[in-house]
Amino acid sequence: MVCVGEALWDLYAPEGIPLEQAKLLRRVPGGGAVNTATALVRLGIRSGLCAALGDDAMGRGLKDEVAAAGVDVGRLALSAARTGLMLVAIERGEARFAGYRQGESEAQALAAAMPERWQTRVVHFTGIAPVRGASGALARAAASARREGCAVSVDVNARPRMWPRAERAASVPGAGAGAASASDAGAGVRGCFRLFGQADLVKCSAGDLDVLGTTARGLRERLRPEATLVVTDGARETLLLGPGGERAVAPRPVRPHDPTGAGDAFCAGMLASLVWEGRARWGDAALMLRAVARGHDVARAWVRRKRG
């Protein structure tokens, strides 16, 4: 399968040291697509990465390290956009972040990296920014994957710093000096929702729903009738909304060491259970319940380990 989306470096401060005081940082491959792809490889699933990195030392180094982890990087493009960085500090199991990203440039470079043919069973999109033209291109790429017979999954992963302004702009009629930027932002958001509409499986968190300004049922109504929506809420119950109705699955409690990428690991666990099933089976409630249970197990193991 192929994971499409963000690829960056997570730069970790020493454990227990705030970012303001950190003098040394340890770099670890990160980003939603990288985390999901590497977790899938650990689960024994052949996985590829479709992403755009800067054609610089940081980008080439990240490409090499992801390849060394067993991920196919044949669809990874080196572009003019700089490689993204995310500073991370872990204190008592809680993560603090400070990002250095070029959201629009990254999104445009990712859109340009889409292949003509996918030649895989599942295409998973994650960490998509609502950028005009770029999000629409990803929606078209997902439609192309479906025409090839691929199953399509999406992890909404709505980054608060990238989404709120765009979402608000989409709801405001264009007027005055800000009309053009509001129109661009609204088009980017609409492109993301078109991407969701191509999916057989959409995973989002309760926080994602807040950023999108909708509810679980409101988002489910915008998906394909045969699609399944999975909504996580930390240690609370995970909600499934699919063709067979609504169900809830409670995860087992866990004391996290590093919660960074837990949602990506959850997606990897689900997809590892689904990858060998035909797309038509993805609407089966019993199958999805098993996939969510495995997602919980993989995420639990992920947050117990030390990444930085």
Side-chain angles (χ1 to χ4, degrees):
M1 64 171 292
V2 177
C3 298
V4 182
E6 62 182 2
L8 49 83
W9 284 109
D10 286 336
L11 303 180
Y12 275 83
E15 186 174 356
I17 304 297
L19 287 172
E20 296 86 345
Q21 300 175 16
K23 299 186 185 305
L24 296 173
L25 297 171
R26 173 182 167 84
R27 70 180 195 180
V28 178
V34 169
N35 291 338
T36 306
T38 53
L40 282 162
V41 168
R42 292 191 188 105
L43 294 170
I45 306 297
R46 292 181 59 187
S47 181
L49 177 66
C50 180
L53 298 173
D55 189 6
D56 51 29
M58 296 295 279
R60 292 188 291 272
L62 181 53
K63 179 179 180 179
D64 290 345
E65 192 149 343
V66 172
V71 176
D72 179 357
V73 295
R75 298 177 181 84
L76 200 154
L78 297 177
S79 71
R82 289 188 177 179
T83 305
L85 304 175
M86 184 67 68
L87 276 66
V88 187
I90 305 297
E91 300 180 60
R92 294 184 293 277
E94 297 289 331
R96 289 182 56 207
F97 303 96
Y100 290 82
R101 308 280 302 276
Q102 295 181 309
E104 185 165 350
S105 297
E106 289 179 25
Q108 297 289 359
L110 174 61
M114 293 298 99
E116 292 185 8
R117 301 255 320 156
W118 291 98
Q119 298 179 311
T120 189
R121 297 178 66 91
V122 179
V123 181
H124 175 68
F125 293 83
T126 177
I128 305 305
V131 172
R132 182 182 182 127
S135 57
L138 296 179
R140 292 190 292 274
S144 174
R146 287 189 61 83
R147 288 194 294 272
E148 280 188 45
C150 306
V152 174
S153 69
V154 176
D155 182 359
V156 175
N157 232 334
R159 306 302 193 194
R161 290 180 180 270
M162 296 181 179
W163 278 80
R165 185 190 308 172
E167 195 279 332
R168 287 196 299 271
S171 65
V172 177
S181 61
S183 174
D184 287 351
V189 171
R190 289 191 293 274
C192 289
F193 274 94
R194 287 198 296 274
L195 172 62
F196 305 159
Q198 290 294 331
D200 302 285
L201 170 65
V202 174
K203 178 266 178 186
C204 72
S205 67
D208 292 336
L209 291 175
D210 289 340
V211 172
L212 295 176
T214 188
T215 63
R217 292 185 180 90
L219 180 55
R220 176 64 185 84
E221 289 174 359
R222 302 186 68 164
L223 306 183
R224 305 172 68 85
E226 64 274 22
T228 298
L229 172 65
V230 175
V231 182
T232 60
D233 192 8
R236 300 179 182 87
E237 288 185 330
T238 295
L239 183 65
L240 283 78
L241 300 89
E246 298 182 16
R247 291 172 172 80
V249 182
R252 287 187 290 162
V254 62
R255 179 174 295 178
H257 180 85
D258 177 1
T260 310
D264 306 322
F266 175 81
C267 285
M270 283 200 302
L271 294 169
S273 293
L274 298 171
V275 65
W276 300 114
E277 301 288 346
R279 189 171 71 191
R281 286 264 295 143
W282 283 37
D284 181 82
L287 175 63
M288 278 297 174
L289 286 170
R290 292 194 297 273
V292 166
R294 189 171 189 191
H296 285 157
D297 289 341
V298 174
R300 187 181 303 107
W302 180 276
V303 301
R304 285 174 170 168
R305 58 196 282 270
K306 182 177 179 180
R307 296 184 69 235

